Amino acid sequence: MKRHWFLPENPDVLATLSAQADTTVAGAAAFLDWAAGDPAQEATVRDCEHRADDQRRRLATELRRAFSTPVDQEDLYTLSERLDAVLNGLKNVVREAEAYAVSPDRHLVAMAEEVATGTIHLCRALASLAGSADAATREADAAVACERRMEKVYRDAMRGLLDVADLREYAARGELYRRTLEVGERMTRVADRVWYAVVKEA
């Protein structure tokens, strides 16, 4: 009598993480369009954030079922968690702008451009994790560079607020700048974990 051995189902966890990254890129692109003057994109940012939440939960379920993974399970979970924080941050900026009744300005657009570019680099980094360590870390570094440029925009924006006489506008815009810069810092945390995952696998 022949024995048949069946390996447990092995979900494509990297594909799920990449799908979440794609959603993050779409959310960042919508955030840029919103900052550039298209208020309808606010709904797109929210929709992307909800879709990414579902993808994050799916990844967590797949990690529990996976027999083996091409990248350490803890790293995949942490990367997903930190990526989720990026979209959450963008949604929060949009909400704060609505609450303060303040329209985005050129400084916010400039930072949004860096977020949009940075998420593309993160998406490429995650897609390269199991294939090319050099490509993954190169893309992670490019995402960090986006955050560094955001810091310069932020400083210029805050200096510009010194000329604003309306204290309400001063406080509201300062908060929007700060929250948007925080999104850049969250991108850097994703990039840092990419580096950690690569070094650990070396």
Side-chain angles (χ1 to χ4, degrees):
M1 180 178 178
K2 291 184 178 179
R3 292 181 179 272
H4 297 280
W5 298 94
F6 296 94
L7 291 175
E9 179 187 0
N10 210 40
D12 191 346
V13 291
L14 274 183
T16 303
L17 182 62
S18 291
Q20 183 185 349
D22 288 339
T23 301
T24 305
V25 169
F31 180 78
L32 173 57
D33 289 341
W34 167 81
D38 184 357
Q41 293 303 313
E42 176 184 344
T44 306
V45 173
R46 288 199 305 269
D47 290 344
C48 287
E49 192 271 334
H50 295 321
R51 186 160 74 248
D53 281 344
D54 291 339
Q55 290 163 331
R56 182 187 169 202
R57 284 190 289 269
R58 186 184 314 139
L59 178 65
T61 300
E62 290 177 352
L63 288 173
R64 290 198 303 269
R65 290 178 8 225
F67 178 68
S68 64
T69 56
V71 178
D72 182 80
Q73 286 186 328
E74 181 184 356
D75 292 330
L76 291 171
Y77 183 87
T78 302
L79 284 165
S80 177
E81 182 180 47
R82 293 184 180 183
L83 199 60
D84 185 61
V86 172
L87 258 185
N88 285 339
L90 294 178
K91 182 188 69 175
N92 289 339
V93 173
V94 171
R95 281 181 169 177
E96 290 290 335
E98 181 181 18
Y100 290 134
V102 173
S103 300
D105 59 13
R106 63 184 180 86
H107 299 296
L108 206 63
V109 171
M111 285 195 279
E113 288 173 344
E114 296 297 345
V115 171
T117 301
T119 56
I120 291 172
H121 288 302
L122 290 178
C123 187
R124 291 172 180 169
L126 297 176
S128 302
L129 264 181
S132 172
D134 287 342
T137 53
R138 183 170 60 249
E139 294 293 345
D141 287 346
V144 173
C146 291
E147 192 271 334
R148 297 292 183 264
R149 289 192 292 271
M150 288 177 71
E151 291 177 1
K152 182 180 183 304
V153 176
Y154 174 79
R155 290 193 296 270
D156 291 342
M158 293 303 291
R159 280 194 292 269
L161 285 180
L162 296 176
D163 297 327
V164 175
D166 187 331
L167 289 179
R168 175 187 166 281
E169 182 180 356
Y170 177 93
R173 290 202 177 280
E175 182 66 8
L176 290 184
Y177 298 153
R178 185 188 66 78
R179 284 187 176 272
T180 308
L181 180 62
E182 186 178 84
V183 174
E185 293 166 351
R186 293 179 182 188
M187 290 196 307
T188 292
R189 294 191 73 226
V190 180
D192 287 344
R193 192 69 189 201
V194 169
W195 263 100
Y196 178 78
V198 167
V199 170
K200 193 161 65 172
E201 295 292 325

